[in-house]
Every structure is written in C-alpha cells, then in structure tokens.
Amino acid sequence: MSQAKSTETISLSLSLLFLITCNTLPIIQSRVFHLLLYLTKTSIFARVPSSSPTFLTKVKILLPTPMEVKLWNDKREREMYENFAELFAIIKATEKLEKAYVRDIISPAEYEAECQKLIAHFKTLSSTLKDTVPSIDQFHDTYKMDCPAALNRLVTSGVPATVEHRAAAATSSASSASVVAECVQNFITAMDSLKLNMVAVDQVHPLLSDLSSSLNKLLILPSDFEGKTKMREWLSRLSKMGAADELTEQQARQLHFDLESSYNSFMAALPSAGT
C-alpha cells in the first residue's frame, strides 16, 4: 500500500514538474515548487542504487547516416559534366597564361604556342557543347569564374596577343621582301578559298589568322591599317561561331570585298615605306 502511494506521489510530482517546465500551469508558489523538487529527489534518485543506470544514461545522440550523392544519372549526363570540367579548366588555364604573358614570366614564343593550343581546344569543345552551353559568357557567370582576360582571348579575339599586336623588335627583316610576299600570298589564298566556296569556319579562320599574323609582322603598317582592323573584326566574329558553321552567301561576299579592299590598301602603302 505504501509502495503504491509512493508510486502515485512520484507520478504526480513528475507530471507537475513537466507542466511547470512547459509553462502550461499558472504561476505556482515557490514553496510548492521546492516541495515538488524535494519529493522527486527523495522518491526517485534516493531509491536508485548508484550502480544502476538512470534514465539520463540512456540518452543517445543520433547522427545522420552518410548518403551517397550521384552527380549524374547516366553515361550521357556524366560525359556532359566532364565536358563542363574541361571547359572550366581551359578558361582558367587561359586566364593564367594571359597573366603570365603580361608579367613577362614566359617568352612571346612560348605564350603563342600554348595559347594557340588552348584556343584550338576551346573552339572544338565549345562547338561540341553548343546545345548545352549556348553562351560562354553565361557559363562564365554561372560558375563565378572571374576570368575577363580569358574571355577576351577565347571569345572576343580568338587569336593570341602576339598575333594581334606582335611585339617584335624593329629589325630590317620585318619589312623585308619575304614578309611582303607572305602577306600577298595570304591575301590571294584567302580570296581564292572564298571563290572555291570554302566558307566553313574551320576553313576560313586559319587563313584569316595567317593573314593577320603576316600583316602584324610589317612595322611599316600603322596599327589602324585597314587590313589589320578588318581581319581582327572578322576573326572576332568567327570565334563566336562553331567550327562546322558556314558563312552565308552575304557574309562570304562581304568578306571577299573586305579582303580585296584591304589588299588594294596594302599594295598602295608599300611605296610610301621607302625601302
């Protein structure tokens, strides 16, 4: 009988303590509260042997179970993300290369060779990803890459800086007859290719790049020479197109006109250079 009353007392004490803690009862006098504390301690903890575990020792901390997270669902999706990683790496590498060239860490020859490789890889990969990555600028912003020099080199320019503005020493060979002959040959080759309907980007771009490079070798030509300016504009336009894309009939006709006009200006500028 006394044990049953003790059990009821313990139960009542615990219930009241719980309600007080949860703020579900009105304000209770302090003496009552302390009495309940005393009853609880003497009824429960005083009767539990020190060697026996209390309810506090049974509390477990449950940690979340590690989960396997898949980045792709099939082989095609995996290949897409791998291509994204390659594109990301090319842009980052180009940014580092541009900074190294500006700081004169590498020579112009080393820079040009590596930059040509990165540009070629970029054009091939961007052509492959043209459906999933329609805009390189958007890809750049989405992944917060902060690579303005790489965007300028890969998307806007499409050629190494040494080709755009070759920092060659002022030597007599720069204005030699061989360089002039090279420019003439590149002009004629580019115009003939258009006449033969070779209008794919991967056919036209190398020819214009060679022509721009040979024009930059001639120090007698000013930086705003018509041929240099027009070739830069066309190279920038072609860099934004896919390798398999083709010029329209109107674009091919305009390019041929610009080449012919630049060639005439080039020939007219030669006599004014003296020798």
Side-chain angles (χ1 to χ4, degrees), residues 13 69 127 140 180 207 211 243-244 246:
S13 301
V69 179
S127 177
H140 173 273
V180 173
L207 299 177
L211 175 57
E246 294 186 353

Side-chain angles (χ1 to χ4, degrees):
M1 184 73 177
S2 60
Q3 186 176 359
K5 289 184 178 180
S6 177
T7 303
E8 291 177 0
T9 304
I10 293 170
S11 177
L12 177 61
S13 301
L14 288 175
S15 301
L16 289 174
L17 274 176
F18 176 79
L19 292 173
I20 292 171
T21 306
C22 297
N23 296 321
T24 57
L25 284 180
I27 299 174
I28 301 178
Q29 296 297 327
S30 177
R31 293 180 181 178
V32 176
F33 180 75
H34 285 291
L35 176 60
L36 289 172
L37 282 177
Y38 173 77
L39 289 173
T40 303
K41 291 174 64 177
T42 55
S43 301
I44 302 177
F45 296 104
R47 288 170 170 76
V48 177
S50 59
S51 60
S52 303
T54 65
F55 64 90
L56 293 176
T57 62
K58 297 182 180 180
V59 176
K60 290 184 179 181
I61 300 176
L62 299 178
L63 297 176
T65 305
M67 296 177 59
E68 181 182 355
V69 179
K70 291 185 177 181
L71 298 179
W72 49 76
N73 296 318
D74 51 35
K75 184 178 179 181
R76 183 177 180 181
E77 194 170 309
R78 175 180 180 176
E79 185 177 354
M80 181 189 71
Y81 282 117
E82 287 179 349
N83 287 334
F84 281 5
E86 290 288 340
L87 181 60
F88 186 94
I90 289 173
I91 295 175
K92 282 291 186 180
T94 305
E95 182 74 14
K96 297 294 183 183
L97 183 64
E98 290 293 308
K99 290 182 178 179
Y101 174 66
V102 170
R103 295 169 184 171
D104 204 21
I105 299 175
I106 59 174
S107 66
E110 291 174 326
Y111 162 79
E112 185 170 336
E114 295 302 322
C115 193
Q116 288 282 18
K117 290 179 184 178
L118 288 171
I119 291 172
H121 294 330
F122 170 77
K123 288 190 67 65
T124 302
L125 190 58
S126 59
S127 177
T128 304
L129 294 174
K130 63 181 180 180
D131 294 331
T132 52
V133 185
S135 171
I136 300 298
D137 291 331
Q138 185 177 354
F139 179 87
H140 173 273
D141 295 338
T142 299
Y143 293 100
K144 298 178 174 59
M145 301 183 66
D146 191 23
C147 299
L151 283 184
N152 176 68
R153 187 62 49 220
L154 296 172
V155 179
T156 305
S157 174
V159 293
T162 49
V163 175
E164 275 189 330
H165 37 80
R166 189 171 300 274
T171 60
S172 58
S173 60
S175 57
S176 65
S178 61
V179 179
V180 173
E182 182 183 339
C183 292
V184 173
Q185 180 182 353
N186 288 332
F187 267 118
I188 295 175
T189 302
M191 288 188 287
D192 288 347
S193 66
L194 292 176
K195 291 179 182 179
L196 294 173
N197 200 31
M198 297 173 60
V199 293
V201 172
D202 57 355
Q203 294 173 324
V204 178
H205 191 280
L207 299 177
L208 298 186
S209 180
D210 290 342
L211 175 57
S212 178
S213 177
S214 61
L215 289 174
N216 282 305
K217 292 178 183 178
L218 282 175
L219 300 179
I220 60 174
L221 298 176
S223 58
D224 59 346
F225 175 67
E226 178 187 357
K228 293 182 179 181
T229 304
K230 289 188 178 297
M231 291 309 103
R232 282 197 298 266
E233 292 174 355
W234 275 104
L235 285 171
S236 176
R237 190 179 308 176
L238 292 174
S239 296
K240 298 177 182 178
M241 301 171 62
D245 293 343
E246 294 186 353
L247 298 177
T248 63
E249 183 179 353
Q250 182 179 0
Q251 288 175 326
R253 187 171 180 178
Q254 182 63 47
L255 176 56
H256 188 276
F257 175 81
D258 290 341
L259 285 169
E260 190 172 4
S261 175
S262 299
Y263 176 73
N264 293 332
S265 299
F266 171 76
M267 298 302 294
L270 291 179
S272 63
T275 55

